[in-house]
Amino acid sequence: MADSPLLELRDLNKYYDNGFHAVKDVSFSISPGQLVGLIGPNGCGKTTMMRCINHMHKISSGDVLIDGESVLEKTPAEIARKVSNVPAELKASFGLTVFETVMLGRYPYLQNVWWETEEDESLVEETMAKFGVLELKNRPLNMLSSGERQRVLIAKAYVQEPRLMLVDEPTAHLDMKYKLEVMEYLTAMAKKDMSVLVAEHDISLMARYCDSCIIMKQGKIYAEGDPKEVITEELIQDVYEVSASVGLDKDGELFVLPKRYAGKYYF
């Protein structure tokens, strides 16, 4: 018997106050233990859709279910015990240290508004060690490199002990080494019966690590499935207006090599 979906979207729609239809009748499901890539050009609705999943954005119509339960009537704390969020960047750190930042992930569970337990502290320190940032625990977050800061944000999401992790552009601004390191961490977490939905622009990286990919265009799902089957030169042309070479390297890994812009010029 197949696993019941951990995440299920049913005819999800999101309109902004100005009438813009950002997410259009989106339906899909993710099973436990999957790493799923969310791909598409800027403005296609990826980030908006993820904010609807954790109810940071009010859903216009449709539904989002986590473990079979709708998020529509859940409180933010109830959702945070199921879903964690790793933003593309932290807008402000307010002078927080690495330890304080990771501890924020335990707030959905705190019984006392002001004090965390010894168990919370132990979990946070164990997690910082797991992600290689324990030695940075007393450093201000804004004093870290981009790679170190990304690991701290993933550690913060991990200590929430979520069923689903939403990750927005985790490898932006990272060099090759840290891109691969972050994706290895996300892959390992997905194997622990957690699902990870990651929005990313590096298509080759998504094809290398993801169990499946969801490709969005103009608020809709354009294609979905095994990246080696759905990512084609025709798809890149249609979705990105880019001429590209798509192939397999000597190890059988898919790569995408953009060649030229193939859309309209306005000058």
Side-chain angles (χ1 to χ4, degrees):
M1 180 177 176
D3 287 326
S4 298
L6 192 158
L7 169 68
E8 185 177 2
L9 273 64
R10 296 178 178 174
D11 299 319
L12 180 70
N13 284 275
K14 172 60 183 176
Y15 290 89
Y16 285 107
D17 291 340
N18 62 5
F20 178 65
H21 196 178
V23 179
K24 305 172 183 177
D25 296 313
V26 169
S27 297
F28 66 85
S29 62
I30 298 176
S31 297
Q34 281 195 308
L35 175 60
V36 178
L38 186 59
I39 299 170
N42 290 333
C44 72
K46 301 188 301 294
T47 299
T48 298
M49 187 183 73
M50 290 206 295
R51 288 176 178 170
C52 288
I53 291 172
N54 62 13
H55 220 197
M56 289 177 64
H57 280 347
K58 184 178 179 180
I59 295 169
S60 300
S61 66
D63 205 353
V64 174
L65 290 80
I66 309 292
D67 280 334
E69 297 182 352
S70 173
V71 303
L72 296 181
E73 302 301 324
K74 300 286 187 185
T75 66
E78 288 172 333
I79 295 172
R81 294 185 194 116
K82 291 276 191 177
V83 185
S84 64
N85 180 56
V86 181
E89 59 181 355
L90 202 61
K91 300 297 184 183
S93 63
F94 304 105
L96 293 175
T97 65
V98 169
F99 178 83
E100 291 166 338
T101 301
V102 178
M103 183 59 76
L104 289 175
R106 294 303 299 162
Y107 279 13
Y109 299 96
L110 296 186
Q111 301 299 314
N112 186 305
V113 174
W114 300 108
W115 304 107
E116 53 274 351
T117 66
E118 290 184 4
E119 289 77 12
D120 290 321
E121 292 184 0
S122 295
L123 176 60
V124 165
E125 295 215 348
E126 289 170 8
T127 300
M128 288 192 296
K130 184 190 298 287
F131 289 95
V133 295
L134 182 58
E135 70 278 8
L136 305 173
K137 63 182 290 186
N138 296 318
R139 291 263 297 274
L141 191 66
N142 59 9
M143 297 296 290
L144 303 185
S145 70
S146 296
E148 291 168 336
R149 193 157 50 243
Q150 195 64 45
R151 280 183 283 156
V152 171
L153 294 178
I154 294 173
K156 171 184 170 292
Y158 186 83
V159 299
Q160 281 181 235
E161 300 180 300
R163 296 280 288 133
L164 173 69
M165 185 178 289
L166 306 175
V167 189
D168 195 7
E169 298 185 32
T171 70
H173 315 302
L174 300 186
D175 63 27
M176 262 186 270
K177 171 187 173 182
Y178 288 119
K179 282 177 185 280
L180 295 173
E181 182 181 64
V182 165
M183 292 308 302
E184 293 287 349
Y185 280 129
L186 296 178
T187 300
M189 286 187 286
K191 290 178 180 177
K192 293 183 178 294
D193 201 35
M194 177 194 301
S195 292
V196 179
L197 178 62
V198 52
E200 176 61 62
H201 286 296
D202 190 327
I203 303 173
S204 298
L205 200 65
M206 292 293 92
R208 164 77 173 82
Y209 284 97
C210 291
D211 300 301
S212 67
C213 284
I214 297 168
I215 296 90
M216 293 187 69
K217 178 182 178 182
Q218 297 178 348
K220 297 181 179 180
I221 293 181
Y222 179 93
E224 180 182 1
D226 185 327
K228 291 182 180 178
E229 296 177 1
V230 300
I231 297 174
T232 64
E233 294 176 359
E234 292 75 20
L235 179 142
I236 301 300
Q237 175 88 27
D238 290 346
V239 173
Y240 289 93
E241 297 184 304
V242 168
S243 175
S245 292
V246 176
L248 301 178
D249 66 16
K250 63 182 179 62
D251 297 317
E253 301 293 349
L254 185 142
F255 67 85
V256 177
L257 178 63
K259 296 165 68 175
R260 65 185 64 87
Y261 171 61
K264 294 181 179 179
Y265 289 97
Y266 296 95
F267 56 88

